[in-house]
Amino acid sequence: MDNIIEFENVTKRYNNANTDAVENMNLHIKKGEICMLVGPSGCGKTTTMKMINKLIKPNSGNILIDGKNIENIDSIELRLSIGYIIQDIGLFPHMTIAENIATVPVELGWEKGKIDARVDELLELMELDPKIYRTKKPRELSGGQKQRVGVARALAANPPIMLMDEPFGALDPITRGKLQDEFLKIQRKIKKTIVFVTHDIDEAIKMGDKIVVLKDGKILQMGTPSQILSNPIDNFVSELIGGNSSIKMMNLIKCESIMQKVYTMDINLTFEQAKKSFLESQVNQMVVTEDGEKGKYYIDLKDILKNNGKVSETKIEIVDRVLMDATAKDALAEMFSTGKHYIFVEDSSHEIKGIVTINNLLKVVSDGDSGSI
Amino acid sequence: MNLFNFFTSRWETILDLTLEHFIMVITAMVISIALGTAVGIIITMNRKMASIVLNITNVMMTIPSLALFSLLIPILGIGKAPAIVGLVAYTQLPIVRNVYTGITNIDTSIIEAARGMGLTEMKILYKIKIPLAFPAIMTGIRTATVMGIGIGAIAGYIGAGGLGVYIFRGISRTNDNMVLIGAILISIIAILTDKLLEKVQKKYEI
Amino acid sequence: MVTAGLYKNSKKYIKNIVIILILIAIGIILSIYVVENPQDSMVSRLVSYNKISSLLKQHLYIVGISSGLAILTAVPIGILLTRPKFKKWTSRVVGIVNVGQTIPSLAIVALLVGVIGVGAKTAILALWIYSLLPILNNTLIGVGEVDKAIIEAANGVGMKASHVLTKVEIPLAMPMIIAGIRTAITINIASAILAAFVGGGGLGNLIIAGNNISRWQVLILGAALPVLMALIADSVFGMIEQKIKL
């Protein structure tokens, strides 16, 4: 079964409330997917998430995990098998970092050697040197470090599902960005099913495979980040996204998908031959090859015309590049810092694979506006 | 006869009384701590009960100890029994209140994280709530014990023994030495106990 | 909105007054009961309206004087210790007064008896020592917790230092100070029973007498009256605290 978490007509109304916190919710979350629950305060996103590990009981409807109705699963057993992280993390102040992380494995009765190994493994994953951090206490850690320990603690028993409630909300923007990147990197390795609550649409777009926009306890729109960005279903969602959705789109698109093929030119060509080559191909930059070997230098049309020079004399060393899976936004940022209207794209073995020009980027923005991604 | 001579000539009796005082107070404190901690934990689960119980223990403290002891005599006879029951009743408030506040003051996100991770309520209680509330509980025990030493002295009036005996007897016989010995010894014991428990308390501060 | 607040407060106010009246009523009813229905002749000889009221007066006298002295010494000392010149004495002074608190009240009374003999003055002195700490502590905290920004503003506006103290710091510290006085007086009322042991009079005499002749009526009276008084004092001060907070 592809859907690991399913909500069927789930409704929740708190005592003394006039309206439903969550109304008739139907939701399917696939295995290995990061599902972002986004929306303003009070929209029901945290309530929805907390019903998954039975911290909150629905008034009606069914919630199934792996096809089984969670009502028939023991709460404690369920929670031990789901990772849980909250905004204030809730690290136990009287326990060491190692003891904090080991909490669920200890409950599950793992043997000591296995627990110790797992703690070290997780600390390394979080880029915290186990030798140093094992015995520290939470109060000795910075906000970002505490949050990393929180993630490690949730991952300790290797649960297939993780619930994360605004885990990076209390951090400053720089640390938050870093942790988001690190988390995405880890997720690529571990492929957990994640339900992530946030009120920050940018975080949702950056991290989510699927975005669920909630308002007043109901699902307004559900889709991939680019679907939401290019086709907001109503004013509310548009406003939620904020202006500049096309700029936001740049954050999603990888250089790989917008780069153009790079042309080569032999180093021994004369001025006239080079000029002709450029006219024919209609590009402004080409990579220089020497005896078939390419990649170290390039030639810019502007330079050839200026100096009437030979290729071998006007060639420029290729210094600035971006990786193929860098985003369009990264490419733009590089262009700002180099002052040029183009940037070369390389793969992980440093081979030049293409080039992104300012025109490619403008096309992304304009395509985004017309919704034709 | 001066104080020092008085002391040395009666040191055996004085030692007996001191021991008696110790035993009485320690017995009462052990019971009081066990009871108070249990009650304190129970009321953290129910706010209404909490305010009722805290109010009752509050009022119990306003009742003059002497009166309480005297009232227990018709039921329990004179001697150690009413003294210990009275002592337990008196020392409840600091303990119950501190156990309650200690536990309820724990950051709710810690408890929520523990619950969400799959710890049972029992496990949360003794792995997290009690260890984190321990400094507050220790303070309560310290206050209660020092109070207990003093009230134990008053119990001397109703035949419970202990150093209070010297004080009351000394007053009625106008024997200044007796009064002073009793008072000085109790003061020393109270101060030493306070300092000792303060050290223990400091050791467990997070 | 303001009127709603005032209404709520007057509800609380009335509730407090009602409680105080009930407590007084209980005391009166109890006294009437014992005097009119004595267990036996021993009790009737011992207890009479005159006796009760004279013991009550003695009790209040002892409580009043010792509390008054405590307020008059602890508050000024507390304020003095918050002045920059004297801040360094704070921990030493608090340490000394703390010791006074650790020593059981009976022991303090007894020590004084051994030194200055018996009588009301001994009781008053002992109670004075015992009431110092709560008032001193609360004065220190009350003045210490006044928002530094307000003091800075007052200084900045050009207020004289003495005015800053009397017009800003002390009024703002009042709720805390009153709370300390409330604690001290409530404890004082119960502790004043010990005065009876040193010939100081007061309601403790009823407890002693009740014990001596084993008559529970007298005992209960001697125990209940101070308790009722303590609860009344607690309520009265509670009301004063509320009024000041506004």
Side-chain angles (χ1 to χ4, degrees), chain C:
Chain C
M1 289 305 110
V2 180
T3 38
L6 284 176
Y7 175 66
K8 243 195 181 167
N9 274 326
S10 49
K11 262 191 127 185
K12 241 189 172 177
Y13 197 70
I14 295 180
K15 200 172 115 186
N16 267 317
I17 303 245
V18 169
I19 291 180
I20 293 175
L21 290 175
I22 292 181
L23 291 169
I24 297 179
I26 296 178
I28 296 179
I29 294 175
L30 203 55
S31 314
I32 296 179
Y33 172 70
V34 175
V35 175
E36 302 297 335
N37 301 305
Q39 272 174 292
D40 54 21
S41 58
M42 284 190 100
V43 175
S44 60
R45 246 180 295 155
L46 207 51
V47 180
S48 66
Y49 293 126
N50 275 339
K51 191 78 199 240
I52 296 179
S53 67
S54 83
L55 287 177
L56 198 62
K57 267 192 261 184
Q58 282 173 353
H59 201 103
L60 287 172
Y61 174 75
I62 296 177
V63 170
I65 307 257
S66 58
S67 306
L69 283 176
I71 297 175
L72 288 174
T73 40
V75 174
I77 293 183
I79 295 180
L80 200 63
L81 285 175
T82 58
R83 300 301 94 193
K85 246 201 299 182
F86 294 97
K87 274 220 166 99
K88 52 183 186 235
W89 294 100
T90 309
S91 59
R92 243 174 294 187
V93 173
V94 173
I96 295 176
V97 183
N98 233 324
V99 171
Q101 198 71 1
T102 320
I103 300 177
S105 47
L106 180 64
I108 294 185
V109 172
L111 283 168
L112 288 173
V113 164
V115 171
I116 61 176
V118 297
K121 61 184 184 323
T122 320
I124 292 177
L125 200 54
L127 288 173
W128 169 69
I129 296 177
Y130 225 62
S131 311
L132 281 178
L133 187 65
I135 305 181
L136 181 65
N137 252 346
N138 277 39
T139 308
L140 284 172
I141 297 178
V143 177
E145 291 202 339
V146 173
D147 196 343
K148 297 286 180 272
I150 300 181
I151 301 180
E152 221 182 286
N155 277 320
V157 175
M159 257 191 174
K160 273 200 295 201
S162 57
H163 281 178
V164 174
L165 181 62
T166 52
K167 292 192 179 176
V168 177
E169 291 183 87
I170 294 184
L172 286 174
M174 262 314 179
M176 250 302 181
I177 298 179
I178 300 283
I181 297 179
R182 172 184 179 185
T183 310
I185 292 189
T186 339
I187 297 180
N188 213 331
I189 295 178
S191 311
I193 291 181
L194 294 174
F197 283 92
V198 296
L203 292 162
N205 275 318
L206 282 176
I207 298 183
I208 297 179
N211 236 322
N212 286 340
I213 60 176
S214 304
R215 297 288 184 267
W216 63 264
Q217 273 183 337
V218 183
L219 254 183
I220 297 225
L221 201 57
L225 290 179
V227 172
L228 292 168
M229 285 202 302
L231 292 173
I232 293 176
D234 199 57
S235 291
V236 168
F237 273 97
M239 290 195 323
I240 298 180
E241 252 181 79
Q242 287 292 1
K243 270 220 118 172
I244 298 194
K245 275 204 177 135
L246 271 134

Side-chain angles (χ1 to χ4, degrees), chain A residues 11 33 89 95 163 197 227 239 268 276 282 326 351 371:
Chain A
T11 300
E33 149 176 282
I89 319 155
M95 296 191 195
L163 302 180
V197 164
Q227 282 170 346
E239 274 192 42
N268 297 315
K276 185 153 166 270
Q282 297 206 326
E351 212 189 299

Side-chain angles (χ1 to χ4, degrees), chain A residues 16-27:
Chain A
N16 306 328
N18 294 327
T19 48
D20 291 334
V22 169
E23 195 180 315
N24 232 346
M25 171 158 307
N26 285 290
L27 180 63

Side-chain angles (χ1 to χ4, degrees), chain A residues 50 53 55 75-77 79-84 86 88-95 100 103-104 106-107 137 139 153 165, chain B residues 106-124 126-133 204-206:
Chain A
K50 283 195 181 171
N53 67 352
L55 282 176
S75 301
I76 300 291
E77 216 184 288
R79 291 174 198 157
L80 288 172
S81 67
I82 297 181
Y84 184 59
I86 54 181
D88 292 324
I89 319 155
L91 288 182
F92 308 136
H94 58 304
M95 296 191 195
N100 261 285
T103 309
V104 177
V106 166
E107 289 304 303
K137 288 269 177 68
R139 70 170 177 284
R153 186 171 71 171
D165 190 349
Chain B
I106 297 176
D107 197 342
T108 42
S109 56
I110 295 176
I111 309 286
E112 192 190 319
R115 208 167 273 150
M117 278 168 37
L119 293 177
T120 59
E121 287 304 319
M122 251 307 163
K123 289 251 163 83
I124 295 180
Y126 63 83
K127 270 187 135 174
I128 300 187
K129 285 185 179 172
I130 294 184
L132 286 176
Y204 284 98
E205 242 146 57
I206 292 192

Side-chain angles (χ1 to χ4, degrees), chain A residues 93-214:
Chain A
H94 58 304
M95 296 191 195
T96 62
I97 299 301
E99 287 167 340
N100 261 285
I101 297 179
T103 309
V104 177
V106 166
E107 289 304 303
L108 292 173
W110 289 15
E111 57 143 31
K112 190 163 185 323
K114 191 168 167 208
I115 297 181
D116 288 338
R118 180 70 175 151
V119 169
D120 287 340
E121 184 188 339
L122 287 165
L123 281 171
E124 297 220 12
L125 190 62
M126 295 297 146
E127 303 193 356
L128 295 168
D129 186 346
K131 283 193 289 289
I132 303 178
Y133 285 96
R134 269 188 146 264
T135 49
K136 279 197 188 273
K137 288 269 177 68
R139 70 170 177 284
E140 300 174 69
L141 267 50
S142 70
Q145 290 168 330
K146 279 202 261 239
Q147 210 32 289
R148 289 199 185 94
V149 172
V151 174
R153 186 171 71 171
L155 286 172
N158 219 354
I161 300 176
M162 301 252 290
L163 302 180
M164 304 174 72
D165 190 349
E166 313 238 29
F168 308 136
L171 301 166
D172 64 87
I174 298 180
T175 317
R176 192 184 316 149
K178 269 186 77 191
L179 279 183
Q180 286 167 344
D181 292 334
E182 282 175 31
F183 188 78
L184 285 173
K185 222 166 57 175
I186 297 174
Q187 168 67 347
R188 261 183 281 228
K189 283 190 232 168
I190 58 181
K191 271 292 170 202
K192 304 254 176 241
T193 309
I194 300 184
V195 179
F196 193 119
V197 164
T198 179
H199 66 277
D200 181 356
I201 191 72
D202 290 321
E203 184 170 52
I205 292 174
K206 176 172 177 181
M207 304 200 42
D209 294 322
K210 165 148 91 202
I211 298 183
V212 178
V213 181
L214 291 163

